[in-house]
Amino acid sequence: MSNESTAVVFIEFQNDFTSPGGVLHDAVKDSIEANSTLDNAARVLASAREHGAVVIHSPISFAPGYNEISSHPYGILKGVVDATAFVKGQWGAEIDARFAPQPTDIVIEGKRGLDAFGSTNLDFILRSKGIGKVVLAGFLTNCCVESTMRTAYERGFEVVTLTDAVAATSVEEGESAVRFNYPMFSTPTTSDAFIATMESSRDLADTSRGY
Amino acid sequence: MSNESTAVVFIEFQNDFTSPGGVLHDAVKDSIEANSTLDNAARVLASAREHGAVVIHSPISFAPGYNEISSHPYGILKGVVDATAFVKGQWGAEIDARFAPQPTDIVIEGKRGLDAFGSTNLDFILRSKGIGKVVLAGFLTNCCVESTMRTAYERGFEVVTLTDAVAATSVEEGESAVRFNYPMFSTPTTSDAFIATMESSRDLADTSRGY
Amino acid sequence: MSNESTAVVFIEFQNDFTSPGGVLHDAVKDSIEANSTLDNAARVLASAREHGAVVIHSPISFAPGYNEISSHPYGILKGVVDATAFVKGQWGAEIDARFAPQPTDIVIEGKRGLDAFGSTNLDFILRSKGIGKVVLAGFLTNCCVESTMRTAYERGFEVVTLTDAVAATSVEEGESAVRFNYPMFSTPTTSDAFIATMESSRDLADTSRGY
Amino acid sequence: MSNESTAVVFIEFQNDFTSPGGVLHDAVKDSIEANSTLDNAARVLASAREHGAVVIHSPISFAPGYNEISSHPYGILKGVVDATAFVKGQWGAEIDARFAPQPTDIVIEGKRGLDAFGSTNLDFILRSKGIGKVVLAGFLTNCCVESTMRTAYERGFEVVTLTDAVAATSVEEGESAVRFNYPMFSTPTTSDAFIATMESSRDLADTSRGY
């Protein structure tokens, strides 16, 4: 499969998760350190741009006051509201500068839920652009990334999960998800292995063009 | 059903449709005049805000260059691209000032397709807020409004279509949709009749609170 | 696009629509006659099987008593319930013998709503099998066929509508849908033209295999 | 919330999982024993019928030969195909006699994927019947049950997971899912506690009717 039909989806590389001072950063920093999440994801981002894969950013955000959702949330969305996380227009909801979208990237709109397909234009855009392979990185290993992986598999995409470019609220949670659940719905791989795949696909493409 | 569980969805009241100079305005102006679309929709908007219904705006927009969609669109999306309509950040994609969102309104994100459910967070927000009745106005009578009506019906909402607050690219197209298709998937009504319903629901709510 | 990645979807070729004595047959028989719907659809079915396209049947049915849906339906589903149409296990819900599924055909399950994508495994199966082109025939021109066309377009398929293999509750309704709405969301074509396309795709495939 | 608006969804209580001789039974029998899954689920089923909750069965099945899906599956669907599990018309795909549907139960159709919402009429039926609370039991704790939980949460339902009426391919996998993931997307509870809730809701309903 050529890199043109591959999309790398960066899920919630936003300051509230990635940067000191972000309201949820302390919860994920151990897992980020254990995986070198940010370094690996940054290298994948650079390689995807270099080798012609589609780069997609999938941030989550809410209007101030969280008026779009129930006034009595439960589960993980209650956690988001209680932490006053991902408020549109504020620093915590901004995509981390190291992962800032470039003009040729695509920024998914609408994400209010956990599954990046559930409340966004992600599926529409992937279909419209003829994407067959979906590669996932981001936060949280067992929440948004996992829900997105499950739905992408269900919708017939070839799903790749980057097991060292994700992070969770504890190392144990992340490892359990990767060990038990990721293989059912994806091909788990390392960032280095995926980068190598992109490089060799490009070479094949070049060869077939007669270079 | 109380007004709190009613959402009025304003579909694409954007300058490219509503305002002289908009790239698609000439195509719809006859139908707008025949229905008094803008006046009726403006009265419904004011009444919804006054009587406590949820006001939702559902604009469509695309990044400059239409990078989110196929480079070879067909059908209605080809028409949008060929007209260079609804480009994000430009005047034509802006919501008409007469329908400008207020802070308590909800602005749906993500719309790239025709069905307002298909590529947005509309369903997520309606579910989360406990909305049972969905009321539709906007453009085009037989395109986005009709696709949204069909899906809202399919998803179990009570659907109301405002037959004089919509417009199409010809009077005949609009009338055919309203006559043949709207009754299968909605309760078609006039703007005045719907406003009267909101007023009486409010009165009932007031009475039940002992006023 | 090869015939292998083309699916022809036969929507509701069930006795209640197609056969004298079916509870909704009288409502559609004028339109069936005007289009020669059944003859055209039968020729497409034979040709699809001969030339290697995927044949899909999408019947609608309900448990006796309609326990799966609201006890207070409105719109088109009210019409279905009031007519006691499409009751599972009864003759009216059976697929017309002329269109009986063969073992290599796929029969879609779950259809309770109008859009063949909305309450079924159609999308899952199309994605899983790598289908790119969806060709539609059946009932009603402006109800289930049109809803399915709109959603197939929205989900990125190449949609073809067979304008003489569909039927509606009046000739006028059918013609309005085909004239005004089908071109926005599909490439409308005749059964003969589509059959010719399948034949030439097969020939091309044969040639490329060195025959 | 009254029992009428509560649906208990029994996921894949089919012989291939539940009965000695089923092709996947050995894989789950330790977890079944550890949880007393079948006993707990049977008591919940009896109680739901007694107290007026909607009983829904969600089996998975495939046509002989698995023609509906890719000829090159990966992940969990590859496991299903390799084991020749859940073949329609065979004993292994039949719902276990202890959980046999009664005429007033609803049997979901179409399930080919893992998420019970993804390829079925479940959402359509829940919406149509006005269900607000979805209660989950079945197989596997961290596969179909978890995917269904995640999507039900995403679609705005109040989700309850019965932590002792589920089973996985190992005790550890099941416990990890229940401990780390279930609280984000549901209210985890025991079968006894849920039965007590149904009983008290019935009593409240009786009282409000003046008994």
Side-chain angles (χ1 to χ4, degrees), chain C residues 49-192:
Chain C
R49 285 176 177 152
E50 183 186 349
H51 295 108
V54 176
V55 171
I56 295 182
H57 304 269
S58 179
I60 188 171
S61 64
F62 298 88
Y66 300 91
N67 184 39
E68 312 100 317
I69 61 171
S70 167
S71 46
H72 302 291
Y74 72 107
I76 182 72
L77 284 175
K78 183 175 190 308
V80 169
V81 173
D82 288 351
T84 322
F86 305 117
V87 177
K88 198 175 297 194
Q90 300 191 359
W91 171 84
E94 278 174 24
I95 292 178
D96 185 306
R98 292 166 285 184
F99 297 87
Q102 294 186 354
T104 53
D105 296 352
I106 294 172
V107 182
I108 293 300
E109 293 177 6
K111 192 166 191 293
R112 296 296 181 279
L114 297 315
D115 174 3
F117 286 92
S119 55
T120 76
N121 51 21
L122 177 57
D123 192 66
F124 181 87
I125 290 172
L126 294 174
R127 299 303 181 193
S128 182
K129 293 187 77 69
I131 300 296
K133 185 193 280 193
V134 171
V135 184
L136 301 177
F139 304 86
L140 302 170
T141 314
N142 61 326
C143 183
C144 293
V145 177
E146 182 168 342
S147 284
T148 304
M149 168 189 76
R150 287 172 180 256
T151 299
Y153 179 85
E154 199 88 23
R155 297 196 185 187
F157 294 101
E158 180 188 342
V159 186
V160 171
T161 41
L162 301 177
T163 56
D164 56 4
V166 292
T169 56
S170 75
V171 172
E172 191 186 2
E173 285 188 59
E175 286 179 352
S176 293
V178 168
R179 181 175 159 212
F180 294 137
N181 298 350
Y182 276 33
M184 290 195 286
F185 304 99
S186 73
T187 304
T189 188
T190 63
S191 296
D192 281 343

Side-chain angles (χ1 to χ4, degrees), chain C residues 12-23:
Chain C
E12 296 165 29
F13 284 83
Q14 296 163 268
N15 291 318
D16 272 341
F17 273 141
T18 59
S19 302
V23 296

Side-chain angles (χ1 to χ4, degrees), chain B:
Chain B
M1 191 169 284
S2 83
N3 292 333
E4 276 177 21
S5 62
T6 295
V8 188
V9 183
F10 294 86
I11 299 176
E12 296 164 32
F13 284 83
Q14 296 163 269
N15 291 319
D16 271 341
F17 273 142
T18 59
S19 301
V23 295
L24 299 172
H25 180 67
D26 283 351
V28 293
K29 71 180 179 187
D30 287 353
S31 182
I32 287 176
E33 280 180 27
N35 282 343
S36 301
T37 304
L38 300 179
D39 288 346
N40 287 323
R43 288 187 303 114
V44 169
L45 177 59
S47 176
R49 286 175 175 154
E50 181 185 349
H51 295 109
V54 175
V55 172
I56 295 182
H57 304 268
S58 179
I60 188 171
S61 64
F62 298 87
Y66 301 91
N67 183 38
E68 315 99 315
I69 63 170
S70 168
S71 46
H72 301 290
Y74 72 107
I76 182 73
L77 284 174
K78 182 175 191 306
V80 169
V81 173
D82 289 350
T84 321
F86 305 118
V87 177
K88 198 175 299 194
Q90 300 191 358
W91 171 82
E94 277 174 25
I95 294 179
D96 184 307
R98 292 165 285 182
F99 296 87
Q102 294 187 354
T104 54
D105 296 352
I106 294 172
V107 182
I108 293 300
E109 291 176 7
K111 193 167 191 296
R112 294 298 181 279
L114 297 316
D115 174 2
F117 286 92
S119 54
T120 74
N121 53 19
L122 177 58
D123 193 65
F124 182 87
I125 290 172
L126 294 175
R127 300 301 181 194
S128 183
K129 294 187 75 71
I131 300 297
K133 185 192 281 192
V134 171
V135 184
L136 301 177
F139 304 85
L140 302 170
T141 314
N142 61 326
C143 184
C144 293
V145 177
E146 183 168 342
S147 284
T148 305
M149 167 190 77
R150 288 172 179 256
T151 298
Y153 180 84
E154 199 88 23
R155 299 200 182 182
F157 294 101
E158 180 187 343
V159 186
V160 171
T161 40
L162 301 177
T163 56
D164 55 4
V166 292
T169 55
S170 76
V171 171
E172 191 186 2
E173 284 189 58
E175 287 179 351
S176 293
V178 167
R179 180 175 160 213
F180 294 138
N181 298 352
Y182 276 33
M184 291 195 286
F185 304 98
S186 74
T187 303
T189 189
T190 62
S191 296
D192 281 342
F194 171 63
I195 289 170
T197 306
M198 280 197 288
E199 287 170 349
S200 61
S201 295
R202 206 260 313 255
D203 293 345
L204 285 172
D206 289 352
T207 304
S208 73
R209 290 191 196 112
Y211 293 1

